[in-house]
Amino acid sequence: MANEIQAVSVPFEAWKDEQDAWNNRSNYFVEMHNREDRRAQVKAFLDFLKAERLLPAPGGRTLDIGCGVCDYALGLAREGYRATGIDLSDGMINGAKQLADEEGLDLSLYIAPWSDETRRKLEWDKAFALVYSIFCPIMFDVENIRAMHDASRDKCLWVAFSERSDEMVDMLWEHFFGSDAFPWDGKMKECLDAIHNMGHNVKVTYKTVPETEVMDLDKAVEYFTMRLHNNGWGSIDDMKAEIRNLIEPLAMDNKIQNKTVDKVAWVSWSVK
């Protein structure tokens, strides 16, 4: 059946809070699907695959790890590829099914945290011509990169932040959780070392992406709450109220300006 969803029988207990956090964001990503900037990101992804000769033969199988609502998998499906997406969040996967159904496109959809256990459970041993992951946090784990490599019989692509500067989110994160101590450089180096050791024709392309976004105050409160809230903090309504108190003094004409600069690594390799 087209766009049937399969839940993989692997342990979820340790992932409950993470799953809830992404479920709370899923409607935002469904709404973002048809925005011009999102369409441009999907086009840039497809253009990169074509330029770097990473695309499979026509009709080949592709896997998106941490697929969210499958913007990129849907882009590949439109090109005639057999696209598969897997994500921890059932909210995201249901959003992907909704979008695929609306476009009349076929996706294979799975709900599970990515790991080698998940890969083995699904018998995905060299099962896909292209396996990729875009901005999926758990892919900073070397073992998950290895599982990605083992799922492919040809090409892999990992797109990840190597540095992040997000003016408003950084300020709010420090207020709620303390300074962000995520070791971007160390984690990136560890993963790149593993990829160089197991992959062939490894290519790393860095892209720096500056952006200034202007939002109405109400939209900004919703957006930053969506980015930051998790079950461990407490009530989502309490966080919204506190975020409003923090950012309202920064508004000009009821608008909030957020400046970001991301350094993104596009890492491609062959498994053979």
Side-chain angles (χ1 to χ4, degrees):
M1 182 185 300
N3 303 321
E4 184 177 359
I5 296 172
Q6 179 174 331
V8 186
S9 58
V10 294
F12 271 83
E13 291 78 8
W15 293 98
K16 186 66 171 66
D17 284 349
E18 189 79 5
Q19 185 182 52
D20 286 347
W22 287 106
N23 283 349
N24 289 337
R25 300 167 188 171
S26 59
N27 286 339
Y28 170 81
F29 281 93
V30 169
E31 292 167 3
M32 189 169 69
H33 174 73
N34 287 316
R35 280 182 9 188
E36 286 303 315
D37 56 339
R38 194 58 158 178
R39 289 182 177 277
Q41 290 165 2
V42 174
K43 183 179 184 302
F45 164 71
L46 294 172
D47 288 347
F48 183 87
L49 294 179
K50 292 170 185 174
E52 299 298 325
R53 299 183 179 179
L54 299 174
L55 284 170
R61 293 184 72 196
T62 67
L63 172 63
D64 186 335
I65 297 171
C67 61
V69 297
C70 279
D71 294 296
Y72 301 100
L74 287 165
L76 285 164
R78 288 184 208 106
E79 299 282 324
Y81 296 99
R82 291 183 293 154
T84 296
I86 185 167
D87 200 283
L88 166 72
S89 164
D90 50 308
M92 291 287 192
I93 291 295
N94 280 301
K97 182 183 187 313
Q98 173 190 328
L99 295 172
D101 288 345
E102 287 173 359
E103 290 196 48
L105 295 170
D106 289 344
L107 295 178
S108 298
L109 298 169
Y110 295 81
I111 302 169
W114 179 251
S115 67
D116 197 53
E117 179 184 6
T118 296
R119 183 192 68 80
R120 287 185 282 106
K121 179 81 69 171
L122 289 165
E123 299 181 345
W124 285 349
D125 186 15
K126 301 190 182 305
F128 299 91
L130 170 67
V131 181
Y132 61 95
S133 184
I134 300 177
F135 302 136
C136 180
I138 64 168
M139 297 310 288
F140 277 100
D141 183 326
V142 167
E143 293 309 309
N144 290 337
I145 292 280
R146 293 187 192 282
M148 174 182 180
H149 177 92
D150 290 341
S152 176
R153 64 173 179 270
D154 194 359
K155 298 292 196 303
C156 290
L157 173 66
W158 176 45
V159 181
F161 296 111
S162 62
E163 293 177 18
R164 299 202 75 181
S165 173
D166 190 320
E167 188 175 72
M168 285 290 181
V169 171
D170 291 346
M171 180 269 287
L172 293 168
W173 185 279
E174 185 163 357
H175 173 82
F176 288 112
F177 306 111
S179 60
D180 183 2
F182 189 81
W184 294 104
D185 288 345
K187 286 291 189 181
M188 179 59 70
K189 182 180 185 306
E190 183 182 4
C191 291
L192 288 178
D193 287 347
I195 290 167
H196 278 286
N197 285 334
M198 65 187 168
H200 302 277
N201 306 313
V202 179
K203 183 174 180 180
V204 185
T205 303
Y206 289 99
K207 300 183 181 184
T208 300
V209 185
E211 184 179 9
T212 299
E213 188 171 12
V214 179
M215 294 174 276
D216 291 338
L217 178 60
D218 289 344
K219 180 182 176 183
V221 170
E222 294 290 333
Y223 173 72
F224 294 129
T225 304
M226 180 272 296
R227 288 280 304 271
L228 275 79
H229 186 264
N230 60 57
N231 289 343
W233 188 84
S235 160
I236 193 167
D237 288 334
D238 287 347
M239 179 175 272
K240 283 182 183 179
E242 194 159 343
I243 286 176
R244 180 177 293 276
N245 288 336
L246 289 165
I247 69 174
E248 192 165 16
L250 305 175
M252 297 183 64
D253 297 325
N254 207 46
K255 304 279 188 186
I256 292 292
Q257 187 177 88
N258 187 43
K259 296 180 181 179
T260 63
V261 180
D262 296 323
K263 184 179 179 183
V264 179
W266 292 62
V267 187
S268 62
W269 69 96
S270 172
V271 303
K272 59 185 181 180

